[in-house]
Amino acid sequence: MFSEQDFGMFVRALTFAADKHQNQRRKGHDRLPYVNHLIRVTDLLWREGEVRDVPTLVAALLHDTLEDTDATADELETLFGAAVLAIVREVTDDKMLPKATRKQLQIEHAPHLSTAARLIKLADKIDNVYDVSHNSPEGWSHERQIAYLDWAEAVVAGLRGVNRALESHFDAVLCESRELLLKKKSP
Ligand code: ZN
């Protein structure tokens, strides 16, 4: 059960994430506020994955703050503790590296991540695959969308073995997304 303290931290993380990402929108053509993605990822963990570990759920809300906002590691540690910071760090790409290298490293690092980080990455890929196919980013060609799905599948291959429900949910969303993209291609 969530304690009063857990719930306090959860709400604080949601507020922090909404604030830090306030000027950021999702790439999809509906341009939803970025925080919707963070809520969906956390909701996938909670409902599909039945994840009840508090640091994992809090880190899910914060998973893109180090990569995409001016949030610092010190801030995260002070507000949410070392355990949450460690998970967020694990799911943060090194933005100094070129994009292609970062994508390759995600595939290579996946099997070495902690359970918490693997769960968050699984939920993240579920939401991103859904968005790329159902709410395609402006200007993405069919080939680019297919390539994204293939890459996500390769990353998830290295994440398996932590949560069967989330893994099957990923497979279902991936399969449905591929069918949708095929249908869009052939009128
Ligand atoms: Zn994300």
Side-chain angles (χ1 to χ4, degrees):
M1 274 301 278
F2 263 42
S3 68
E4 204 172 304
Q5 214 181 3
D6 294 337
F7 190 73
M9 177 142 87
F10 188 81
V11 173
R12 206 159 66 238
L14 183 54
T15 308
F16 182 87
D19 186 40
K20 289 292 184 186
H21 290 280
Q22 63 178 294
N23 295 320
Q24 203 188 346
R25 301 248 152 196
R26 286 291 278 172
K27 272 192 268 190
H29 60 68
D30 62 8
R31 310 291 294 164
L32 282 180
Y34 201 81
V35 72
N36 288 45
H37 163 67
L38 308 168
I39 295 168
R40 281 197 306 256
V41 166
T42 310
D43 185 50
L44 280 165
L45 290 173
W46 178 265
R47 273 190 308 130
E48 292 291 339
E50 296 184 13
V51 173
R52 296 294 180 264
D53 177 61
V54 176
T56 306
L57 296 166
V58 168
L61 287 173
L62 301 170
H63 78 268
D64 285 323
T65 52
L66 286 184
E67 196 168 304
D68 294 338
T69 79
D70 64 4
T72 64
D74 280 351
E75 258 180 311
L76 292 188
E77 183 162 20
T78 308
L79 290 166
F80 308 105
V84 168
L85 171 63
I87 303 169
V88 176
R89 272 211 161 115
E90 276 192 279
V91 298
T92 299
D93 284 353
D94 180 354
K95 279 213 154 167
M96 304 295 276
L97 299 170
K99 191 152 189 206
T101 311
R102 285 184 350 231
K103 294 195 96 169
Q104 181 56 33
L105 285 177
Q106 281 206 35
I107 297 175
E108 289 170 22
H109 289 165
H112 310 292
L113 298 174
S114 67
T115 300
R118 285 157 86 163
L119 289 169
I120 292 170
K121 289 200 81 104
L122 256 171
D124 190 44
K125 293 291 177 274
I126 292 171
D127 194 50
N128 289 340
V129 161
Y130 183 89
D131 257 5
V132 162
S133 51
H134 290 72
N135 178 25
S136 315
E138 214 73 67
W140 277 42
S141 64
H142 179 79
E143 287 67 30
R144 186 167 175 193
Q145 292 172 54
I146 296 281
Y148 184 88
L149 268 46
D150 291 346
W151 170 73
E153 186 179 30
V155 176
V156 167
L159 301 170
R160 290 182 190 273
V162 283
N163 188 303
R164 196 174 292 189
L166 275 178
E167 289 155 35
S168 338
H169 192 61
F170 175 83
D171 295 336
V173 169
L174 181 69
C175 180
E176 195 227 343
S177 294
R178 283 201 167 121
E179 278 169 15
L180 183 70
L181 290 186
L182 271 177
K183 244 186 263 164
K184 276 191 197 162
K185 179 135 206 208
S186 48

